[in-house]
Amino acid sequence: MRFDADWMSRADDRILEHLAEEGPDTPKEMADSDRVRFSRQHINARCKTLVTYGLLVHLGNGVYDITRKGKQYLAGELDARDLKGE
């Protein structure tokens, strides 16, 4: 069971799931996928927030990847309510 936090949005799980399955990707490519059905702008904003909380890492050139914490969250091993933003 996943424990999300008040700061999270519906898009966050889709973004994390996409990156866990597909590997590093850009907000544009995620927006074009069937899994993440949000605008590129919204995905980009959510990726920046997820980086702040340590669930994603920005690799440069607009490419994001999931972190170990992000994988732990997806597996239900991490309570996002306990994460502190940087």
Side-chain angles (χ1 to χ4, degrees), residues 34-79:
D34 289 334
R35 178 182 295 276
V36 187
R37 296 182 180 200
F38 296 91
S39 71
R40 181 196 59 77
Q41 294 86 352
H42 184 67
I43 294 169
N44 188 54
R46 295 313 306 162
C47 285
K48 289 177 182 179
T49 299
L50 292 168
V51 166
T52 300
Y53 285 93
L55 298 176
L56 293 184
V57 61
H58 185 234
L59 301 176
N61 294 326
V63 177
Y64 292 89
D65 198 9
I66 191 167
T67 63
R68 186 170 60 90
K69 282 184 184 178
K71 291 176 183 175
Q72 289 173 326
Y73 166 76
L74 287 179
E77 300 168 356
L78 178 77
D79 188 336

